[in-house]
Amino acid sequence: MIGFLGAWRYSWAAINFTRALWFKRLVYPRWRKRRDERFAQSRAKHHCYFMVTTYMVDPDITLPVYRSIFKAAMAARDGATIVASVVDGMDDRLIKGIYRAMDVDPNHVELVIDRIKSDGKRDAMQKALRILASFSPTHNDIMVFVDGDTIVPEDIWARSAPVFTDPRTGALTTDEAAIIGPEGLFKDWFRLRFNQRQVMMCSMGLSNRVLTLTGRMSVFRADLSTDPTFVRAVGQDYLDHWRLGRVNFLTGDDKSTWYWLLTHGYETAYLPDVQSASYEGQPRDTFFDSAKTLMVRWFGNMMRTNGRAIRLGPKDIGFFTWWSILDQRVSCWTTLVGPISVIITAIVATPIVIPLYLAWVMMTRYIFCVYIALFNREWFPITHPFVLYFGQITGAMIKTFVLFRLDRQKWTRQGGGGGAKVVAFYDRLKMMESTAHHALAYAWLTIAIMFLNTLE
């Protein structure tokens, strides 16, 4: 059984590696050239809108971030409009001060500060989008969604506007880099994640449908992003669960925008040669606690949207995209088959299987790291094979955890969320029920592994 699942997982990895290389080296250059040629022949105006959300960001980060946004806005040939959603009055004053200090031409770049109460990022985005809708953006204009801790490429308009000459394209996302202070395990883990992301995004880019429109920075067709149903999906997205009831989404706005475009038949492009850079800090004192905290949020967003995306079916979204979404749901279980099988074998047969398994794991992860490094033209530290395996096993366990607790949500910088305020008896009952379902699923997985290995 382990051999069959291993062959499946490794073949799936090989398919994605091959697709990523094919896209980056052969398909994307031609794809980019066609769109640049169409753009050069077009006489249409392409105004650039920016929607920026800033909440509890250090002023030392806000300063370079908004400088990059103003530079990108000034470089937009057909003008730019920036709506910055802020909570703190100090951010309001700082942003206006940067605007004045850079001597931005107000006739070319308009700045609107939306001072709001601290009701969460989704509410801030919804209000900002309604302000942007009042400018009546057209089908040719673009909208850049930016987090307040992300550096924007100065040429984002020049690199993005040609992509939307294809009417099927609804949005695009780009490569990402992380700006992290001291060297250490957390920095190595983040660097590996972004390098893995580049490979997987290139693979999905071959189908012109990525699996998420990253909240740090993505670019949308402006009139779509101000459509009332899109704005409502950003601000008031939810899931009706058979056991948990109505789950209102707190986090995961990037999944809501992605799902809206998916259901409306739009393609989502990937630009591997354009890169944003976000400031990342370790949210907890230890590496493990920090990684766990972030993965609970990331994978919770994934699982809350994953099920409804699967139900769309391969006919509407393409077989490979649909299969990739299905794999997200299945892989969290198949990844755990190996460790559970080894533990069972060590207990009932011989413990020698443990070092043999670890040797196999390290060899295969080293091979994966070599490929990822060669793809990104960036060699890796000695920690990467270990961090890769940690991310796969811990990530799979956290995915199964959040799968049974879709109502548990919490921002890293906020204290809100479904899991943090559970006090009522009904909520405690739901938590116990979730734990029981989770434990039962693990029990059935273990029994299935033991049964199938007995047949072998």
Side-chain angles (χ1 to χ4, degrees):
M1 177 183 176
I2 295 179
F4 172 77
L5 288 176
W8 173 29
R9 299 312 310 165
Y10 293 132
S11 64
W12 179 242
I15 289 170
N16 279 293
F17 287 160
T18 304
R19 284 174 56 93
L21 194 61
W22 184 265
F23 172 77
K24 188 177 181 181
R25 295 283 183 260
L26 298 174
V27 174
Y28 178 73
R30 295 197 296 265
W31 182 92
R32 161 64 72 184
K33 183 180 179 181
R34 287 196 299 270
R35 281 153 182 76
D36 285 344
E37 289 173 349
R38 279 204 301 263
F39 185 72
Q41 296 168 3
S42 172
R43 295 183 179 180
K45 297 291 185 181
H46 302 269
H47 193 79
C48 188
Y49 295 91
F50 291 84
M51 186 198 66
V52 195
T53 51
T54 299
Y55 176 68
M56 290 183 67
V57 178
D58 192 287
D60 290 339
I61 295 175
T62 299
L63 186 61
V65 164
Y66 275 88
R67 279 177 176 166
S68 75
I69 292 170
F70 292 141
K71 285 181 180 178
M74 288 188 286
R77 186 193 66 192
D78 299 327
T81 301
I82 302 166
V83 173
S85 179
V86 302
V87 173
D88 198 323
M90 184 176 67
D91 288 331
D92 185 341
R93 293 187 294 273
L94 177 59
I95 294 166
K96 288 178 180 176
I98 299 168
Y99 182 82
R100 289 191 297 268
M102 293 184 67
D103 196 24
V104 180
D105 181 0
N107 295 317
H108 188 74
V109 179
E110 181 176 358
L111 173 65
V112 179
I113 302 291
D114 181 29
R115 182 84 181 275
I116 62 168
K117 294 181 180 179
S118 177
D119 291 328
K121 184 182 178 183
R122 283 182 176 270
D123 183 64
M125 292 177 66
Q126 182 175 232
K127 290 176 179 176
L129 287 173
R130 285 173 178 164
I131 293 172
L132 286 158
S134 68
F135 290 95
S136 302
T138 71
H139 198 63
N140 294 317
D141 299 332
I142 66 171
M143 177 91 68
V144 185
F145 285 24
V146 191
D147 273 353
D149 56 4
T150 301
I151 300 290
V152 176
E154 188 171 344
D155 61 350
I156 188 63
W157 177 86
R159 303 307 303 278
S160 299
V163 177
F164 293 95
T165 57
D166 185 340
R168 296 170 297 180
T169 302
L172 64 86
T173 196
T174 69
D175 186 23
E176 289 184 19
I179 304 171
I180 304 176
E183 296 291 334
L185 211 53
F186 185 75
K187 187 172 184 176
D188 290 347
W189 176 65
F190 241 100
R191 186 183 302 160
L192 176 62
R193 282 191 61 84
F194 280 159
N195 286 345
Q196 286 179 277
R197 178 187 180 276
Q198 173 78 328
V199 174
M200 288 304 299
M201 283 292 198
C202 283
S203 174
M204 300 310 302
L206 192 60
S207 301
N208 275 322
R209 282 191 173 91
V210 297
L211 295 185
T212 187
L213 291 166
T214 310
R216 291 180 180 89
M217 191 195 78
S218 290
V219 186
F220 295 76
R221 193 179 291 279
D223 66 332
L224 297 181
S225 62
T226 53
D227 182 287
T229 60
F230 182 97
V231 176
R232 190 160 53 249
V234 169
Q236 303 167 38
D237 204 2
Y238 63 87
L239 173 70
D240 284 323
H241 191 270
W242 68 274
R243 180 173 59 84
L244 300 172
R246 174 65 59 89
V247 178
N248 293 311
F249 291 178
L250 171 65
T251 61
D253 53 273
D254 51 346
K255 287 292 186 179
S256 297
T257 56
W258 167 79
Y259 182 71
W260 188 92
L261 291 169
L262 201 65
T263 57
H264 286 75
Y266 286 98
E267 294 180 351
T268 48
Y270 182 64
L271 308 187
D273 56 350
V274 180
Q275 187 180 75
S276 66
S278 56
Y279 287 87
E280 303 290 346
Q282 189 167 319
R284 301 290 182 267
D285 293 333
T286 65
F287 163 70
F288 177 78
D289 197 20
S290 297
K292 182 191 70 174
T293 298
L294 291 171
M295 285 194 284
V296 167
R297 176 161 64 85
W298 294 338
F299 297 145
N301 298 337
M302 175 195 294
M303 289 301 180
R304 275 184 286 276
T305 304
N306 179 277
R308 58 182 182 175
I310 291 173
R311 287 192 291 272
L312 293 176
K315 183 179 179 181
D316 292 332
I317 63 178
F319 178 79
F320 188 83
T321 304
W322 178 82
W323 185 261
S324 299
I325 297 168
L326 178 64
D327 182 73
Q328 288 180 338
R329 180 63 64 97
V330 175
S331 63
C332 60
W333 300 105
T334 57
T335 300
L336 298 175
V337 170
I340 293 174
S341 297
V342 169
I343 292 170
I344 293 171
T345 304
I347 293 172
V348 303
T350 173
I352 195 66
V353 71
I354 295 177
L356 293 175
Y357 174 72
L358 292 176
W360 170 257
V361 164
M362 287 299 101
M363 183 189 74
T364 52
R365 271 55 188 181
Y366 194 88
I367 292 172
F368 286 163
C369 286
V370 168
Y371 179 88
I372 293 168
L374 292 174
F375 187 87
N376 289 280
R377 298 181 178 180
E378 175 186 315
W379 200 241
F380 60 93
I382 195 172
T383 56
H384 271 191
F386 301 95
V387 171
L388 176 60
Y389 186 65
F390 162 80
Q392 289 171 336
I393 299 302
T394 307
M397 295 174 67
I398 289 176
K399 286 176 187 176
T400 64
F401 175 85
V402 298
L403 179 61
F404 294 98
R405 299 166 181 84
L406 297 176
D407 54 332
R408 300 281 296 275
Q409 304 170 69
K410 189 175 181 180
W411 280 106
T412 307
R413 296 193 184 112
Q414 289 178 306
K421 300 180 181 179
V422 175
V423 292
F425 172 76
Y426 177 67
D427 292 327
R428 291 198 299 270
L429 187 64
K430 282 198 298 184
M431 288 183 66
M432 290 187 288
E433 187 182 40
S434 296
T435 301
H437 279 261
H438 192 191
L440 186 62
Y442 269 107
W444 277 114
L445 178 63
T446 304
I447 292 170
I449 291 169
M450 294 174 67
F451 176 74
L452 292 173
N453 284 340
T454 301
L455 290 180
E456 292 177 355

